[in-house]
Amino acid sequence: MAANQHVGPSLPVRLRVPILPRMQTAVTLTLNGEARAFDGPMTVAALLATLGLETRKVAVERNAEIVPRSSYAGTWLESGDALEIVHFIGGG
Amino acid sequence: MDATLPQDDTWTVAGRRFSSRLIVGTGRYKDLEETGAAIAASGAEIVTVAVRRVNLSDPKAPMLQDYVDPKKYTYLPNTAGCHTANEAVRTLRLAREAGGWNLVKLEVLGPPPTLYPDMPGTLEAAEALIKDGFEVMVYTADDPVACKRLEEMGCVAIMPLGAPIGSGLGIQNAAMIWMIREQTKVPFLVDAGVGTASDAAIAMELGCDAVLLNSAIAHAKDPIRMAKAMKLAIEAGRQAYLAGRMPRRLGADPSSPLTGLIR
């Protein structure tokens, strides 16, 4: 089952399910409340790059949990994930 | 700075020292350029900022950081628009990740038209945030019991309103602000209600360590001039407080000698 083996070296166990296939598959995400489909598998870092966002100016929440900036490259997204991508704007 | 002003009149919140006693919001300006200019004119060293979703259809849109340099100003993320403790805590966790620091402004609001602080929600959120390592400057009702409770929990600044957010009604509760000031040992600010420069001066004369405002500058006809007016009013009010005002008396007390009058 080599094709089904997990590709990252040190991810938490819960991120290994479902097992990521090597071929491209669509990943459907809810980004800031809107459904979007991407070619997967995909990490948070890859998603931000695809969206054209500078990682140092945004913060990401995945399924209501913060994704630390240091984990962007190692956090694989799964279909059905809900992401909030925020930044600072003017406010009182 | 004027030579008559003491050079060492600083204040400290959560271990950070500041000279300016004016904290300004960055919202409701015409554009980011005006935001940057008004904030520079105000002399503020701390600015409040909101946390919102990135517009994914326009990722290259100009950002606040391009006009209000986070290296120059201390960003104080707020929870404006949050009506539950959970929303406020999630928002500030994101802010901490985006900014990398833990000094925040907590506000949990009740419904319009007053947007009055929701104190059960505020207390719940403050507890969760402090437990999670945040340094919480808290927007609160002018309720001495709740303010004491927040201080005892470990909030680093107590910030009651002088009037509802964005109302510009001025300090409607001077006596209560003064009483809460008297019992508070951490930095004490009026947050919300200031409409014009004299309101900011009154807050400072009541003994506030600083004043937080946004709309009074952003919604003035000339925001940059009003920013400058606020800077001067804060300094004037602070000096008046330190100088100690004369006692009020019911009746006149002539300023000129009564002796030597011509007859």
Side-chain angles (χ1 to χ4, degrees):
Chain A
M1 290 298 288
N4 282 349
Q5 268 171 11
H6 174 62
V7 295
S10 61
L11 296 178
V13 171
R14 64 187 173 82
L15 296 181
R16 298 183 183 180
V17 182
I19 293 162
L20 297 162
R22 256 194 306 201
M23 62 183 152
Q24 290 218 326
T25 51
V27 180
T28 308
L29 307 169
T30 304
L31 295 185
N32 289 351
E34 268 181 48
R36 298 267 299 265
F38 296 89
D39 291 333
M42 183 177 234
T43 63
V44 172
L47 173 69
L48 293 177
T50 304
L51 294 170
L53 295 171
E54 274 187 66
T55 54
R56 61 184 184 84
K57 285 184 178 170
V58 301
V60 179
E61 190 190 65
R62 178 191 185 217
N63 302 330
E65 290 209 6
I66 295 285
V67 183
R69 199 166 284 167
S70 55
S71 310
Y72 287 172
T75 303
W76 291 86
L77 296 167
E78 292 170 23
S79 274
D81 280 351
L83 289 110
E84 294 288 339
I85 305 173
V86 303
H87 64 160
F88 291 129
I89 65 154
Chain B
M1 194 187 251
D2 189 322
T4 57
L5 287 176
Q7 299 295 305
D8 58 349
D9 185 31
T10 58
W11 67 293
T12 302
V13 60
R16 300 157 173 88
R17 208 161 78 128
F18 298 98
S19 308
S20 172
R21 291 172 181 271
L22 178 56
I23 300 179
V24 293
T26 54
R28 314 185 78 172
Y29 285 95
K30 188 178 68 192
D31 51 36
L32 286 168
E33 210 155 67
E34 187 183 78
T35 311
I39 285 161
S42 76
E45 296 166 310
I46 305 175
V47 297
T48 61
V49 296
V51 178
R52 291 291 182 273
R53 285 172 165 173
V54 172
N55 179 359
L56 296 174
S57 59
D58 190 9
K60 295 295 173 209
M63 286 196 178
L64 183 66
Q65 286 99 318
D66 302 327
Y67 293 83
V68 181
D69 185 354
K71 290 192 197 80
K72 191 170 165 204
Y73 298 96
T74 298
Y75 271 30
L76 183 64
N78 70 21
T79 57
C82 293
H83 293 274
T84 66
N86 182 46
E87 286 166 7
V89 171
R90 269 179 76 192
T91 298
L92 291 177
R93 284 185 177 143
L94 280 162
R96 177 166 62 182
E97 193 57 33
W101 56 85
N102 58 6
L103 182 64
V104 295
K105 172 184 160 179
L106 170 65
E107 55 189 300
V108 180
L109 304 178
T114 64
L115 298 177
Y116 211 74
D118 178 318
M119 293 316 294
T122 301
L123 288 157
E124 185 189 340
E127 189 169 17
L129 289 166
I130 291 165
K131 202 187 266 178
D132 197 11
F134 284 91
E135 294 180 294
V136 180
M137 300 176 72
V138 62
Y139 176 62
T140 171
D142 57 342
D143 169 347
V145 179
C147 288
K148 191 80 211 159
R149 185 81 201 289
L150 288 164
E151 184 177 353
E152 286 167 356
M153 284 168 69
C155 289
V156 299
I158 304 297
M159 309 197 294
L161 75 171
I165 293 168
S167 68
L169 287 171
I171 313 300
Q172 293 293 308
N173 49 357
M176 195 54 73
I177 292 291
W178 185 83
M179 281 185 258
I180 302 170
R181 157 75 288 179
E182 286 297 290
Q183 71 172 27
T184 304
K185 293 179 181 65
V186 296
F188 179 79
L189 291 82
V190 159
D191 176 0
V194 168
T196 188
S198 53
D199 300 331
I202 287 168
M204 293 307 294
E205 287 172 8
L206 289 167
C208 291
D209 293 292
V211 172
L212 200 165
L213 58 88
N214 187 154
S215 304
I217 295 178
H219 281 186
K221 280 185 189 152
D222 181 346
I224 292 154
R225 189 176 286 263
M226 185 59 88
K228 173 81 171 156
M230 288 299 179
K231 177 182 197 287
L232 296 171
I234 293 284
E235 287 173 9
R238 175 67 183 168
Q239 291 307 308
Y241 172 73
L242 292 174
R245 61 154 297 141
M246 65 166 282
R248 289 180 173 85
R249 50 182 292 143
L250 295 170
D253 183 17
S255 308
S256 304
L258 294 177
T259 55
L261 284 165
I262 57 164
R263 296 288 176 211

